[in-house]
Amino acid sequence: MLYSEEVVDHFSNPRNVGEIEDANGVGEVGNAKCGDIMKMYMKINNGIIEDVKFKTFGCGAAIATSSMATELIKGKPIEDALKLTNKAVVDALGGLPAVKLHCSVLAEQAIKAALSDYYTRQGIDPLPIVGEIGECEHCH
Amino acid sequence: MEKRFVYADNAATTPVSKAVLDEMMPYFTEKFGNASSIYALGRNAQRDLENARERVAKTIGASASEIYFTSGGSESDNWAIRSVCERLALKGKKHIITSVFEHHAVLHVCQALEKQGFEVTYLPVYENGLVKVEDVENAIREDTALVTIMYANNEIGTVQPIAEIGKICREKKVLFHTDAVQAVGHVEIDVVKQNIDMLSISGHKINAQKGVGALYVKKGIALTNLIYGGAQERNKRAGTENLPAIMGFAKAMEIACTDIEKRAEKTAKQRDRLITEILKISHTRLNGDPVKRLPGTVNISIEGIEGESLLLMLDINGICASSGSACTSGSLDPSHVLLALGLKHEVAHGSLRLSISDETTDEDIDYIIEVVPQVVKRLRDMSPLWEKMMAEENK
């Protein structure tokens, strides 16, 4: 498996690993059977993602994409996070092997799942804002 | 402990040893002749080639005329199975018996033959990773062309009851092939005593170079032509012989098949230390029978983590190992071998295979034992699956 230097770096030293105790948005995607689960914690204030952390069960690419995705949205407005595509995560990582692209989809979905949870907690229907969080095609 | 490089993936491949390389070197330069040439340089090459055949044959109790040099295990498996099946199909025998956890070089040939109208019985291997002799016996039918069961499994290292299966096959007059790629040099093999009709060997698992191996075929069994275009390998496999590789392979076989018991004793001690110590990590299990296994192979499932990230993290620490996770195979499903043992997908994803050799030192073992728990802890700390498992337990 040929991983880029960025992937190896983010896997070896993942950024933003852990939990946020007073998170106000938490999302989890993936399943154990397929071999990857991503859980994302967000602390959102005034529409800004002030802090974000993750926990991931999965391969090197899954951990690296989680790490990169959190880096890309940390300190950013919610709108920016909603616009983040899996492709942007892949590009930031200097590419991923084809068989690992689903990991980046999972990262995009984890962000959306956490934001959905945030809106739900605020009493706002997340669907019109976040949209449907598709199941990972890879797994189902 | 100071970081060190530990190669613990000898079931994947091995380095060419000094003795093997020394044996090979003259055949690149001064002894470069084509074994088909008439002059002394060619005749000497022919002589050394046939001598190598004799040397290889001797290590497994065969005759020189029963050894065919090939490019390795996969070719040998393909050639053996196709030869027998294509020939016996003409006599109406279109049934193959194999096991669910064979190497893909066997399984995929069987699947290809199924498309050509063959029926294949895939025997179970149970929780301990062993084929039952009575299952083989019960599966044999009038139209069975071949039984092909691996000598030792490549992922979990369990050693199959080959002599017993060979006996049954001989009694029932069914041909018996075994993929012995992982077993050669680690267990005593005697094709006559163990009633083996065909046996596949790979060079690079026993310190010869990659791309060389052999197929043993008992006298009287006809092989189909693999490559047309020359008289090499008794007209069955054309192409100028790769003499340096073959000479090195012969040397490697001689070394690998010497003092097996004594060497295995040392390696098995180290293996058992690995097993004992790694199993001290909670939520781990040894895959495959604890006793009927290769002296150097360990396969342990570690719950709550995924195999590929485990391997990458071990690599950062200088340890080369292997896993049966889907992510390392490039497919969606974890290893067919681990699933055959009845492991759940999520448990199979987190497996670790360590395969040690004569070269492995006690310090290497110490290092692995120290690093693995640290790496597992680090990955579990970031695993939501592990978090969930612990929450369930503490309820």
Side-chain angles (χ1 to χ4, degrees), chain A residues 125-140:
Chain A
D125 178 13
L127 199 61
I129 309 167
V130 181
E132 291 265 10
I133 300 163
E135 297 263 350
C136 174
E137 287 169 27
H138 211 69
C139 310
H140 300 276

PDB file of all heavy atoms in Angstrom, chain A residues 125-140:
ATOM      1  N   ASP A 125     -34.099  21.347  13.115  1.00  0.00           N
ATOM      2  CA  ASP A 125     -34.080  20.175  12.233  1.00  0.00           C
ATOM      3  C   ASP A 125     -32.828  20.247  11.364  1.00  0.00           C
ATOM      4  O   ASP A 125     -32.666  21.176  10.576  1.00  0.00           O
ATOM      5  CB  ASP A 125     -35.343  20.165  11.366  1.00  0.00           C
ATOM      6  CG  ASP A 125     -35.346  18.985  10.391  1.00  0.00           C
ATOM      7  OD1 ASP A 125     -34.513  18.068  10.570  1.00  0.00           O
ATOM      8  OD2 ASP A 125     -36.172  19.002   9.457  1.00  0.00           O
ATOM      9  N   PRO A 126     -31.914  19.280  11.492  1.00  0.00           N
ATOM     10  CA  PRO A 126     -30.646  19.366  10.748  1.00  0.00           C
ATOM     11  C   PRO A 126     -30.799  19.065   9.259  1.00  0.00           C
ATOM     12  O   PRO A 126     -29.953  19.491   8.461  1.00  0.00           O
ATOM     13  CB  PRO A 126     -29.771  18.310  11.408  1.00  0.00           C
ATOM     14  CG  PRO A 126     -30.706  17.329  12.015  1.00  0.00           C
ATOM     15  CD  PRO A 126     -31.972  18.066  12.342  1.00  0.00           C
ATOM     16  N   LEU A 127     -31.846  18.385   8.892  1.00  0.00           N
ATOM     17  CA  LEU A 127     -31.951  17.882   7.524  1.00  0.00           C
ATOM     18  C   LEU A 127     -31.816  18.963   6.446  1.00  0.00           C
ATOM     19  O   LEU A 127     -31.026  18.789   5.509  1.00  0.00           O
ATOM     20  CB  LEU A 127     -33.252  17.083   7.348  1.00  0.00           C
ATOM     21  CG  LEU A 127     -33.257  16.136   6.143  1.00  0.00           C
ATOM     22  CD1 LEU A 127     -32.165  15.082   6.262  1.00  0.00           C
ATOM     23  CD2 LEU A 127     -34.628  15.473   5.992  1.00  0.00           C
ATOM     24  N   PRO A 128     -32.561  20.099   6.578  1.00  0.00           N
ATOM     25  CA  PRO A 128     -32.425  21.122   5.523  1.00  0.00           C
ATOM     26  C   PRO A 128     -31.033  21.761   5.477  1.00  0.00           C
ATOM     27  O   PRO A 128     -30.608  22.255   4.432  1.00  0.00           O
ATOM     28  CB  PRO A 128     -33.467  22.181   5.913  1.00  0.00           C
ATOM     29  CG  PRO A 128     -34.349  21.545   6.920  1.00  0.00           C
ATOM     30  CD  PRO A 128     -33.543  20.499   7.592  1.00  0.00           C
ATOM     31  N   ILE A 129     -30.319  21.745   6.604  1.00  0.00           N
ATOM     32  CA  ILE A 129     -29.003  22.398   6.647  1.00  0.00           C
ATOM     33  C   ILE A 129     -27.883  21.420   6.264  1.00  0.00           C
ATOM     34  O   ILE A 129     -27.056  21.717   5.407  1.00  0.00           O
ATOM     35  CB  ILE A 129     -28.718  22.954   8.070  1.00  0.00           C
ATOM     36  CG1 ILE A 129     -29.900  23.810   8.537  1.00  0.00           C
ATOM     37  CG2 ILE A 129     -27.410  23.742   8.082  1.00  0.00           C
ATOM     38  CD1 ILE A 129     -29.883  24.138  10.014  1.00  0.00           C
ATOM     39  N   VAL A 130     -27.893  20.282   6.922  1.00  0.00           N
ATOM     40  CA  VAL A 130     -26.786  19.322   6.742  1.00  0.00           C
ATOM     41  C   VAL A 130     -27.056  18.372   5.574  1.00  0.00           C
ATOM     42  O   VAL A 130     -26.135  17.933   4.878  1.00  0.00           O
ATOM     43  CB  VAL A 130     -26.543  18.522   8.050  1.00  0.00           C
ATOM     44  CG1 VAL A 130     -25.400  17.543   7.883  1.00  0.00           C
ATOM     45  CG2 VAL A 130     -26.272  19.465   9.209  1.00  0.00           C
ATOM     46  N   GLY A 131     -28.332  18.076   5.360  1.00  0.00           N
ATOM     47  CA  GLY A 131     -28.681  17.115   4.307  1.00  0.00           C
ATOM     48  C   GLY A 131     -28.614  15.687   4.816  1.00  0.00           C
ATOM     49  O   GLY A 131     -28.293  15.454   5.986  1.00  0.00           O
ATOM     50  N   GLU A 132     -28.897  14.759   3.918  1.00  0.00           N
ATOM     51  CA  GLU A 132     -28.853  13.342   4.278  1.00  0.00           C
ATOM     52  C   GLU A 132     -27.396  12.921   4.450  1.00  0.00           C
ATOM     53  O   GLU A 132     -26.534  13.324   3.662  1.00  0.00           O
ATOM     54  CB  GLU A 132     -29.447  12.489   3.152  1.00  0.00           C
ATOM     55  CG  GLU A 132     -30.938  12.656   2.958  1.00  0.00           C
ATOM     56  CD  GLU A 132     -31.733  11.605   3.707  1.00  0.00           C
ATOM     57  OE1 GLU A 132     -31.113  10.875   4.516  1.00  0.00           O
ATOM     58  OE2 GLU A 132     -32.951  11.535   3.488  1.00  0.00           O
ATOM     59  N   ILE A 133     -27.145  12.127   5.471  1.00  0.00           N
ATOM     60  CA  ILE A 133     -25.798  11.562   5.594  1.00  0.00           C
ATOM     61  C   ILE A 133     -25.882  10.157   5.017  1.00  0.00           C
ATOM     62  O   ILE A 133     -26.425   9.252   5.627  1.00  0.00           O
ATOM     63  CB  ILE A 133     -25.330  11.526   7.057  1.00  0.00           C
ATOM     64  CG1 ILE A 133     -25.315  12.955   7.608  1.00  0.00           C
ATOM     65  CG2 ILE A 133     -23.954  10.894   7.152  1.00  0.00           C
ATOM     66  CD1 ILE A 133     -25.267  13.032   9.100  1.00  0.00           C
ATOM     67  N   GLY A 134     -25.380  10.013   3.812  1.00  0.00           N
ATOM     68  CA  GLY A 134     -25.496   8.716   3.131  1.00  0.00           C
ATOM     69  C   GLY A 134     -24.741   7.628   3.872  1.00  0.00           C
ATOM     70  O   GLY A 134     -23.811   7.904   4.616  1.00  0.00           O
ATOM     71  N   GLU A 135     -25.169   6.399   3.651  1.00  0.00           N
ATOM     72  CA  GLU A 135     -24.419   5.268   4.196  1.00  0.00           C
ATOM     73  C   GLU A 135     -23.178   5.122   3.318  1.00  0.00           C
ATOM     74  O   GLU A 135     -23.195   5.477   2.140  1.00  0.00           O
ATOM     75  CB  GLU A 135     -25.259   3.993   4.074  1.00  0.00           C
ATOM     76  CG  GLU A 135     -26.552   4.036   4.868  1.00  0.00           C
ATOM     77  CD  GLU A 135     -26.389   3.359   6.206  1.00  0.00           C
ATOM     78  OE1 GLU A 135     -25.345   2.720   6.407  1.00  0.00           O
ATOM     79  OE2 GLU A 135     -27.293   3.464   7.049  1.00  0.00           O
ATOM     80  N   CYS A 136     -22.127   4.612   3.904  1.00  0.00           N
ATOM     81  CA  CYS A 136     -20.921   4.387   3.107  1.00  0.00           C
ATOM     82  C   CYS A 136     -21.224   3.307   2.066  1.00  0.00           C
ATOM     83  O   CYS A 136     -21.537   2.177   2.419  1.00  0.00           O
ATOM     84  CB  CYS A 136     -19.775   3.950   4.008  1.00  0.00           C
ATOM     85  SG  CYS A 136     -18.313   3.496   3.103  1.00  0.00           S
ATOM     86  N   GLU A 137     -21.124   3.658   0.803  1.00  0.00           N
ATOM     87  CA  GLU A 137     -21.452   2.709  -0.274  1.00  0.00           C
ATOM     88  C   GLU A 137     -20.578   1.472  -0.187  1.00  0.00           C
ATOM     89  O   GLU A 137     -20.972   0.379  -0.556  1.00  0.00           O
ATOM     90  CB  GLU A 137     -21.146   3.339  -1.644  1.00  0.00           C
ATOM     91  CG  GLU A 137     -22.110   4.401  -2.070  1.00  0.00           C
ATOM     92  CD  GLU A 137     -21.581   5.141  -3.287  1.00  0.00           C
ATOM     93  OE1 GLU A 137     -20.805   4.525  -4.040  1.00  0.00           O
ATOM     94  OE2 GLU A 137     -21.947   6.310  -3.463  1.00  0.00           O
ATOM     95  N   HIS A 138     -19.384   1.717   0.275  1.00  0.00           N
ATOM     96  CA  HIS A 138     -18.388   0.673   0.354  1.00  0.00           C
ATOM     97  C   HIS A 138     -18.846  -0.484   1.223  1.00  0.00           C
ATOM     98  O   HIS A 138     -18.566  -1.638   0.957  1.00  0.00           O
ATOM     99  CB  HIS A 138     -17.138   1.302   0.971  1.00  0.00           C
ATOM    100  CG  HIS A 138     -15.893   0.678   0.483  1.00  0.00           C
ATOM    101  ND1 HIS A 138     -15.468   0.826  -0.800  1.00  0.00           N
ATOM    102  CD2 HIS A 138     -14.988  -0.112   1.109  1.00  0.00           C
ATOM    103  CE1 HIS A 138     -14.343   0.160  -0.937  1.00  0.00           C
ATOM    104  NE2 HIS A 138     -14.035  -0.410   0.186  1.00  0.00           N
ATOM    105  N   CYS A 139     -19.580  -0.107   2.294  1.00  0.00           N
ATOM    106  CA  CYS A 139     -19.906  -1.110   3.306  1.00  0.00           C
ATOM    107  C   CYS A 139     -21.269  -1.730   3.074  1.00  0.00           C
ATOM    108  O   CYS A 139     -21.555  -2.789   3.594  1.00  0.00           O
ATOM    109  CB  CYS A 139     -19.886  -0.498   4.696  1.00  0.00           C
ATOM    110  SG  CYS A 139     -18.391   0.422   5.033  1.00  0.00           S
ATOM    111  N   HIS A 140     -22.151  -1.046   2.342  1.00  0.00           N
ATOM    112  CA  HIS A 140     -23.525  -1.546   2.308  1.00  0.00           C
ATOM    113  C   HIS A 140     -23.998  -1.917   0.910  1.00  0.00           C
ATOM    114  O   HIS A 140     -23.326  -1.656  -0.049  1.00  0.00           O
ATOM    115  CB  HIS A 140     -24.460  -0.495   2.924  1.00  0.00           C
ATOM    116  CG  HIS A 140     -24.097  -0.205   4.356  1.00  0.00           C
ATOM    117  ND1 HIS A 140     -24.539  -0.965   5.397  1.00  0.00           N
ATOM    118  CD2 HIS A 140     -23.272   0.716   4.894  1.00  0.00           C
ATOM    119  CE1 HIS A 140     -24.027  -0.486   6.530  1.00  0.00           C
ATOM    120  NE2 HIS A 140     -23.251   0.527   6.242  1.00  0.00           N
TER     121      HIS A 140
END
